[in-house]
Amino acid sequence: MARGRSKTLTKHQKEMCYHDNSLVSASLEALIQHLVPTVDYYPDRSYVFTFLLSSRLFLHPYELMTRVCHLCVEQQRSGDALLDKVAPKLVQLLTEWTETFPYDFRDERMMRCLKDMTLQVARGDEYSWRAMQQMTQRLIKRLSALGQYEEAVAALNAVAQERPASLKSKQTSAQRSDILSVCDDPFILAQQLTHIELDRLSFIGPEEFIQSFAMKDPLENHKGFFRKRKTSNLEAYVNWFNRLSFLVATEICMPVKKKHRARIIEFFIDVAQECFNIGNFNSLMAIITGMNMSPVARLKKTWNKVNTDKFEILEHQMDPSSNFSNYRTALRGATQRSETAHSSQEKIVIPFFSLLIKDIYFLNEGCANRLPNGHINFEKLWELAKQVSEFLVWRQVICPFDRDRRILQYLVTTPVFTEDELHLASYESEGPENNMEKDSRRSLRLVLTDFCNVSIFPRTVTLITCALLHRSSLLHRENRS
């Protein structure tokens, strides 16, 4: 990264500290100044990403945008910059901002500022004006698609939450569709899970990893940016992991016959193995989590009919001991395979997402944002950006597998048991073994008295799901183009 913009260092450049030609600390004002291009300078792309990503730890994106605009205007007033030479660089900076962090522009103030910048850079420069117009159109299109996706997910969740508490009685479970009636090929199911994972990953903004650490808005009237859920798509993805875990547990606990339950366990073990082979570690961990839930784990008679050798190997791969060292080794292997891939399938890397979030959280908590001299600790920001940028590479992959809408719809919409319903279903599959379990079953039966058939879904669920899958697919392709 270039240290200076000219042979004469400015006041702000003197406030920037380097080690081995790498920026390690600086004042906030100097970092902002370093972001703004001039006639003979444009910031390194890695710096642009790092600062735009992490600056929200110190100020709102709107405040940063306002300062950038102000510095640009000051340059023009001072006569230090020739507008026709600086304008294309400003367009490039704003393009990087809008394409990498489009969520920032959900704030109406950001859009107004962008419009003002368009007028500034386009003054006497038709090429820059056209470029700004095209950039704005792409931004609006992307924000519209993202909004539609979020609305579809919210509507789907609302319908799912409206269903009554619905543990289905064992007597009628034979009439219920199960996962094997929808898909009995572990590889195909792993492929469809990978579709869902990659689609949902593609909607997570990189800034969502940092937003949860960002300072709270000191003024309640800042409604545009911080009033919106800052991590809505990240949370939706975590919720998908939880849903898949409960779906696995539900499918296992539902069947009346022990032989059928054992067959479903073996099927999910095979699915988990295929997920591992693909590089889909998030679905792999969700399946393992579902199979280790206490309502499933207690089914000893069922497990006795299962060959668990393959499952034990998978559990070893995802063992949390030594900070998930086995998994991290496997993830590095998948990442190296992706970097040298000759096919789309080999490029797939879907990390165990909760651990990724945990790593970023502890990196943020373990290092100070500011040094004793008041400078921003930019070494920390480099590390945050490094982890988030790796995620951006992973989410760029287009899923190479054919979509099966029937399977996808089942995975997204089929009702899953609550924790209490799972426990009662487990007790009905294999009776209580001790007084504590007997008391638990008795209590659950009192609470869960409304048994109903839930195999028929409202038509609205199907419509929402089809819309969700369609929009997800379109936007995922658009993002990659």
Side-chain angles (χ1 to χ4, degrees):
M1 181 186 298
R3 294 194 183 191
R5 308 179 185 206
S6 64
K7 294 182 179 180
T8 303
L9 293 178
T10 67
K11 172 188 173 183
H12 291 304
Q13 289 165 353
K14 292 177 181 178
E15 294 178 356
M16 303 182 74
C17 299
Y18 290 82
H19 178 70
D20 292 335
N21 207 36
S22 178
L23 179 62
V24 295
S25 71
S27 68
L28 182 59
E29 289 300 325
L31 293 173
I32 296 173
Q33 181 80 49
H34 200 57
L35 182 69
V36 180
T38 64
V39 172
D40 56 357
Y41 166 81
Y42 187 82
D44 184 89
R45 194 169 185 183
S46 63
Y47 174 80
V48 174
F49 174 75
T50 300
F51 188 59
L52 289 180
L53 173 71
S54 302
S55 62
R56 62 202 72 235
L57 290 168
F58 311 101
L59 73 170
H60 295 178
Y62 169 69
E63 293 171 328
L64 176 59
M65 185 73 157
T66 300
R67 296 194 193 188
V68 170
C69 291
H70 175 73
L71 288 171
C72 292
V73 172
E74 287 297 308
Q75 281 190 55
Q76 295 176 30
R77 288 177 178 173
S78 66
D80 292 339
L82 298 174
L83 185 58
D84 59 338
K85 293 184 178 180
V86 177
K89 296 180 179 180
L90 290 175
V91 173
Q92 182 181 348
L93 176 64
L94 293 171
T95 299
E96 289 188 46
W97 195 337
T98 56
E99 291 183 351
T100 310
F101 303 97
Y103 279 23
D104 288 351
F105 294 85
R106 285 177 145 177
D107 187 335
E108 293 179 0
R109 300 169 300 174
M110 289 285 285
M111 293 300 290
R112 287 198 300 269
C113 203
L114 186 63
K115 183 177 180 180
D116 292 340
M117 287 291 285
T118 301
L119 296 176
Q120 288 289 336
V121 302
R123 193 173 296 166
D125 185 346
E126 184 176 351
Y127 173 82
S128 294
W129 181 84
R130 288 180 181 175
M132 289 290 286
Q133 290 295 315
Q134 293 172 356
M135 177 194 69
T136 302
Q137 290 172 3
R138 290 195 302 270
L139 174 62
I140 292 173
K141 183 178 180 181
R142 178 162 172 78
L143 289 178
S144 176
L146 289 167
Q148 290 174 358
Y149 166 80
E150 291 178 339
E151 289 173 6
V153 171
L156 183 62
N157 290 340
V159 171
Q161 291 173 3
E162 287 174 0
R163 76 177 183 89
S166 55
L167 175 64
K168 189 176 175 184
S169 64
K170 291 288 182 179
Q171 287 73 19
T172 60
S173 64
Q175 303 171 7
R176 176 185 182 273
S177 296
D178 65 12
I179 190 65
L180 292 176
S181 67
V182 177
C183 177
D184 61 0
D185 186 331
F187 185 48
I188 296 297
L189 189 65
Q191 290 178 339
Q192 302 311 303
L193 288 172
T194 301
H195 265 297
I196 296 173
E197 299 281 357
L198 287 173
D199 284 348
R200 298 202 173 204
L201 274 180
S202 71
F203 288 99
I204 299 173
E207 73 282 355
E208 293 192 53
F209 291 97
I210 308 300
Q211 284 298 117
S212 56
F213 313 136
M215 64 181 186
K216 303 299 181 184
D217 188 356
L219 301 176
E220 286 298 322
N221 62 355
H222 283 192
K223 299 178 181 179
F225 183 72
F226 277 83
R227 280 293 178 88
K228 292 183 181 293
R229 290 175 63 189
K230 298 173 291 185
T231 56
S232 58
N233 295 299
L234 185 149
E235 292 170 9
Y237 189 56
V238 173
N239 289 338
W240 154 249
F241 178 95
N242 295 334
R243 171 181 169 78
L244 179 55
S245 296
F246 274 83
L247 173 62
V248 169
T250 299
E251 293 289 340
I252 295 171
C253 289
M254 175 58 70
V256 175
K257 296 181 179 180
K258 178 170 50 181
K259 180 173 65 174
H260 193 182
R261 292 194 300 273
R263 185 183 171 204
I264 289 180
I265 289 176
E266 290 175 340
F267 175 73
F268 275 118
I269 292 174
D270 290 338
V271 173
Q273 178 64 61
E274 295 296 347
C275 286
F276 178 83
N277 295 339
I278 289 172
N280 180 358
F281 297 104
N282 202 57
S283 289
L284 165 62
M285 192 61 178
I287 293 170
I288 292 175
T289 300
M291 297 176 77
N292 279 321
M293 286 183 178
S294 58
V296 177
R298 65 170 298 277
L299 299 174
K300 296 178 182 178
K301 296 177 182 178
T302 302
W303 280 98
N304 284 338
K305 287 187 166 292
V306 176
N307 183 343
T308 60
D309 291 346
K310 192 185 300 182
F311 184 60
E312 289 169 0
I313 294 173
L314 292 171
E315 282 190 305
H316 178 71
Q317 289 286 352
M318 305 303 287
D319 187 347
S321 62
S322 301
N323 194 21
F324 288 89
S325 61
N326 293 338
Y327 157 71
R328 293 182 190 278
T329 299
L331 180 64
R332 283 194 298 271
T335 301
Q336 291 170 0
R337 179 188 68 184
S338 177
E339 292 171 351
T340 59
H342 298 292
S343 67
S344 298
Q345 183 173 333
E346 292 177 327
K347 291 181 180 180
I348 297 172
V349 181
I350 303 173
F352 172 29
F353 197 67
S354 295
L355 186 60
L356 175 62
I357 295 172
K358 176 186 172 185
D359 287 344
I360 294 174
Y361 173 80
F362 280 111
L363 174 59
N364 179 72
E365 292 295 306
C367 301
N369 288 332
R370 293 183 184 270
L371 302 178
N373 65 357
H375 275 196
I376 303 298
N377 181 3
F378 212 81
E379 284 186 296
K380 170 184 174 176
L381 305 192
W382 285 127
E383 288 301 316
L384 285 172
K386 180 181 177 182
Q387 293 205 23
V388 175
S389 61
E390 191 170 36
F391 157 79
L392 292 182
V393 173
W394 292 333
R395 78 166 191 177
Q396 294 296 317
V397 176
I398 298 176
C399 192
F401 308 121
D402 292 334
R403 288 177 179 267
D404 188 314
R405 290 195 175 276
R406 180 167 175 257
I407 299 173
L408 289 170
Q409 181 174 317
Y410 185 88
L411 292 170
V412 173
T413 65
T414 192
V416 298
F417 287 169
T418 64
E419 190 171 357
D420 283 347
E421 290 171 342
L422 280 173
H423 277 289
L424 185 51
S426 178
Y427 292 141
E428 290 192 346
S429 295
E430 295 184 17
E433 294 184 347
N434 52 51
N435 290 333
M436 186 173 68
E437 288 191 346
K438 288 179 181 178
D439 291 341
S440 176
R441 181 177 67 174
R442 189 179 304 111
S443 298
L444 290 171
R445 281 179 170 174
L446 289 174
V447 174
L448 303 173
T449 55
D450 182 19
F451 296 97
C452 64
N453 190 318
V454 296
S455 61
I456 300 176
F457 311 113
R459 183 170 179 268
T460 51
V461 175
T462 302
L463 293 176
I464 291 169
T465 306
C466 289
L468 169 62
L469 295 173
H470 178 65
R471 291 168 183 163
S472 173
S473 176
L474 289 179
L475 183 55
H476 188 67
R477 291 173 186 169
E478 178 184 316
N479 290 346
R480 305 293 80 81
S481 61

